[in-house]
């Protein structure tokens, strides 16, 4: 079985890359190890850079229709209960007078990305176990015994990426922090202001963001003890633990967590050592990585999914530049692919480095119990947090090639 472009992983990066290629008339095959699309994580902050990518993919307006625009972010202390700072997302130069920031329901994004793909693009229950070279092709060996020959291999297979390991990257490191995430649905509407809230103190970061007028996404990060590991993804245990640990926070945040739906998602926070990206092979010949396989990071700047969307648009554009001159020249095509993937890697190297580093440092400061870090957080970080998050979102991935 021979394929042109094979993408491993039907997460946000893999689906965005496949859709971007499809928009430019290029077919791809997406291998997904699960038996259906994954929607773990519930929600994430979609910053202006994500909306530029979603518009390039042609699904921005669809998703705007089901997610409210947030007006700002409020930071506070869960020790004193005081609100420390507020950053408005107002910007007179932007449409409607605000930076475009919304809390995205992950399930809706995944469905929008996959919904416009041709039938047969995603092959479920297809777990990649090993990669071999065969001339200019890559032989992909799957767990079910199938072997696929690929002209181009793109690893969007997450933090435990088989493709990243083949390229020489190590396993992402444990940040010694974990997160619990969930969502609450208010049948009659929550009535909250259209702002995000987060609170820090005593080694905890907790907050919520409204997605629409009825749904709120919440998050809780902490440094777990051995006893905490029994929480797993049991929603009742998660709610009980968070509510008993959360500290001094507004009643509306307690209400959001108390109304958590039938599922929560708990996971350790992992990141790639940023210096690995400075000398590592993001691409090699006709193989590259994107999304969490490339830049796993802690959630402290809310940019993991946003970066994955950027990756999809930029990577697909580089591949289109290599493949759209449809010439019957195998050697020349291989060199164009190699060059295109190399350019993608260089484009993403420094931005990935900066984003991983920023997320780790912000998380370390926000959750540290050392008095020096508390002073830095209260006097310097909290007042400028919103501005810092917006500055990291000031990126335009560009448009797809017109065909």
């Amino acid at each position: 079985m021979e394929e042109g472009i094979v993408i491993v992983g039907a997460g946000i990066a893999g689906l965005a890359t496949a859709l971007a290629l499809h928009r430019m008339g290029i077919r791809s095959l997406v291998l997904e190890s699960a038996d259906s699309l994954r929607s773990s994580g519930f929600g994430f902050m979609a910053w202006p850079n994500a909306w530029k990518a979603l518009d390039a993919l042609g699904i921005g307006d669809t998703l705007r229709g089901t997610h409210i625009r947030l007006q700002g972010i409020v930071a506070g202390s869960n020790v004193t209960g005081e609100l420390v700072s507020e950053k408005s997302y107002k910007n007179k130069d932007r449409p409607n007078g605000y930076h475009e920031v919304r809390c995205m329901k992950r399930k809706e994004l995944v469905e929008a990305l996959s919904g416009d793909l041709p039938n047969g693009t995603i092959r479920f229950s297809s777990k990649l176990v090993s990669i071999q070279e065969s001339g200019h092709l890559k032989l992909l060996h799957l767990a079910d015994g199938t072997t696929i020959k690929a002209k181009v291999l793109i690893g969007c297979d997450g933090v435990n990426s088989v493709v990243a390991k083949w390229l020489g990257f190590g396993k992402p490191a444990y940040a010694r922090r974990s997160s619990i995430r969930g969502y609450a649905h208010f049948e009659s509407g929550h009535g909250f202001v259209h702002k995000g809230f987060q609170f820090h103190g005593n080694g905890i970061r907790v907050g919520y963001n409204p997605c629409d007028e009825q749904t709120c996404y919440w998050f809780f990060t902490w440094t777990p003890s051995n006893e905490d590991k029994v929480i797993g993804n049991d929603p009742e245990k998660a709610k009980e633990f968070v509510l008993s640990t959360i500290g001094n926070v507004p009643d509306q945040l307690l209400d959001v967590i108390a109304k958590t739906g039938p599922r929560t998602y708990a996971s350790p926070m992992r990141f790639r050592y940023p210096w690995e990206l400075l000398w590592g092979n993001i691409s090699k010949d006709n193989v590259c990585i994107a999304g969490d396989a490339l830049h796993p990071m802690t959630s402290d700047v809310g940019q993991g999914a946003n970066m994955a969307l950027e990756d999809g648009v930029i990577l697909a554009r580089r591949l289109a530049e290599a493949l759209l001159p449809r010439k019957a020249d195998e050697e020349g095509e291989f060199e164009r692919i190699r060059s295109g993937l190399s350019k993608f890697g260089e484009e993403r190297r420094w931005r990935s480095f900066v984003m991983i580093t920023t997320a780790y440092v912000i998380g370390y400061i926000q959750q540290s119990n050392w008095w020096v870090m508390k002073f830095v957080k209260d006097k310097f970080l909290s007042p400028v947090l919103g501005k810092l998050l917006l500055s990291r979102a000031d990126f335009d991935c560009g448009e797809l090639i017109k065909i």
Side-chain angles (χ1 to χ4, degrees):
M1 179 179 179
E2 185 170 328
E3 295 286 343
I5 300 173
V6 177
I7 300 168
V8 183
I12 292 173
L15 293 174
T17 304
L19 181 57
L21 289 167
H22 172 61
R23 297 291 194 221
M24 294 182 290
I26 300 173
R27 181 186 178 278
S28 64
L29 174 67
V30 181
L31 303 179
E32 170 55 44
S33 60
D35 59 6
S36 62
L37 290 173
R38 295 166 288 153
S39 59
S40 59
F42 301 118
F44 67 91
M45 293 298 290
W47 296 91
N49 52 321
W51 291 103
K52 289 184 173 69
L54 292 168
D55 284 337
L57 292 167
I59 58 173
D61 286 342
T62 298
L63 292 164
R64 285 184 180 94
T66 56
H67 296 84
I68 59 176
R69 183 193 290 265
L70 298 181
Q71 299 170 347
I73 182 172
V74 179
S77 167
N78 68 334
V79 178
T80 65
E82 295 178 351
L83 301 180
V84 177
S85 67
E86 179 173 351
K87 169 64 179 176
S88 171
Y89 293 148
K90 281 186 177 179
N91 186 313
K92 61 183 176 59
D93 298 324
R94 303 279 177 167
N96 300 317
Y98 284 89
H99 291 283
E100 187 161 22
V101 183
R102 304 172 195 260
C103 185
M104 179 80 71
K105 288 172 276 189
R106 191 184 191 279
K107 183 174 184 292
E108 290 194 14
L109 172 61
V110 168
E111 289 174 350
L113 289 169
S114 61
D116 280 357
L117 291 174
N119 290 335
T121 298
I122 306 173
R123 187 181 192 268
F124 293 107
S125 301
S126 299
K127 180 177 176 60
L128 176 67
V129 293
S130 66
I131 305 165
Q132 282 184 297
E133 296 191 69
S134 178
H136 290 333
L137 300 176
K138 294 298 179 284
L139 302 182
L140 313 181
H141 300 287
L142 308 187
D144 64 4
T146 303
T147 297
I148 299 174
K149 297 179 180 179
K151 284 186 178 181
V152 181
L153 173 60
I154 302 171
C156 299
D157 44 342
V159 294
N160 297 312
S161 171
V162 174
V163 183
K165 181 179 179 181
W166 186 86
L167 286 170
F169 284 102
K171 293 187 67 172
Y174 174 44
R176 292 184 295 177
R177 294 187 292 141
S178 292
S179 68
I180 300 174
R181 288 162 277 174
Y183 71 93
H185 183 76
F186 296 77
E187 193 64 38
S188 300
H190 49 66
F192 299 152
V193 296
H194 295 178
K195 296 178 182 179
F197 287 80
Q198 58 176 280
F199 299 84
H200 322 97
N202 290 333
I204 289 169
R205 185 172 72 96
V206 61
Y208 76 91
N209 298 287
C211 299
D212 53 34
E213 299 295 357
Q214 294 181 304
T215 308
C216 285
Y217 161 73
W218 63 268
F219 59 88
F220 175 88
T221 66
W222 86 111
T223 302
S225 65
N226 288 332
E227 290 78 12
D228 297 339
K229 293 178 181 178
V230 302
I231 294 170
N233 287 318
D234 183 317
E236 292 306 317
K237 286 183 179 179
K239 282 196 295 185
E240 181 182 345
F241 172 74
V242 173
L243 290 171
S244 67
T245 314
I246 198 171
N248 190 0
V249 298
D251 289 343
Q252 61 193 35
L253 176 52
L254 298 175
D255 196 26
V256 168
I257 296 171
K259 283 186 168 59
T260 297
R263 291 174 55 220
T264 57
Y265 182 72
S267 63
M269 299 175 72
R270 301 189 182 279
F271 71 106
R272 188 172 302 292
Y273 289 121
W275 52 84
E276 279 192 76
L277 293 172
L278 295 183
W279 57 70
N281 291 319
I282 296 174
S283 72
K284 179 183 177 183
D285 295 332
N286 54 350
V287 179
C288 78
I289 49 175
D292 282 346
L294 169 59
H295 43 63
M297 65 186 78
T298 60
S299 60
D300 303 285
V301 291
Q303 276 289 343
N306 295 247
M307 290 277 287
L309 291 167
E310 291 178 15
D311 289 345
V313 173
I314 296 170
L315 176 53
R317 188 170 59 239
R318 286 302 185 188
L319 279 172
E321 291 168 352
L323 296 172
L324 285 180
R326 302 182 190 276
K327 301 175 182 177
D329 175 10
E330 181 178 333
E331 193 67 36
E333 181 182 67
F334 179 81
E335 286 303 316
R336 291 194 302 272
I337 291 169
R338 183 199 60 76
S339 176
L341 296 184
S342 177
K343 289 175 181 177
F344 165 77
E346 292 310 309
E347 281 185 73
R348 302 306 285 165
R349 191 183 302 277
W350 183 247
R351 181 158 171 78
S352 298
F353 175 92
V354 169
M355 205 65 79
I356 291 172
T357 304
T358 303
Y360 184 86
V361 171
I362 287 178
Y364 178 78
I365 294 173
Q366 286 182 330
Q367 293 193 221
S368 175
N369 284 320
W370 186 28
W371 71 268
V372 173
M373 290 297 101
K374 289 182 179 180
F375 177 80
V376 171
K377 176 187 67 180
D378 294 339
K379 298 298 182 183
F380 299 103
L381 179 60
S382 291
V384 301
L385 180 60
K387 185 176 181 179
L388 177 61
L389 296 178
L390 282 172
S391 72
R392 290 293 178 260
D394 186 16
F395 182 87
D396 189 346
C397 62
E399 298 181 355
L400 300 177
I401 295 173
K402 298 291 190 295
I403 59 171

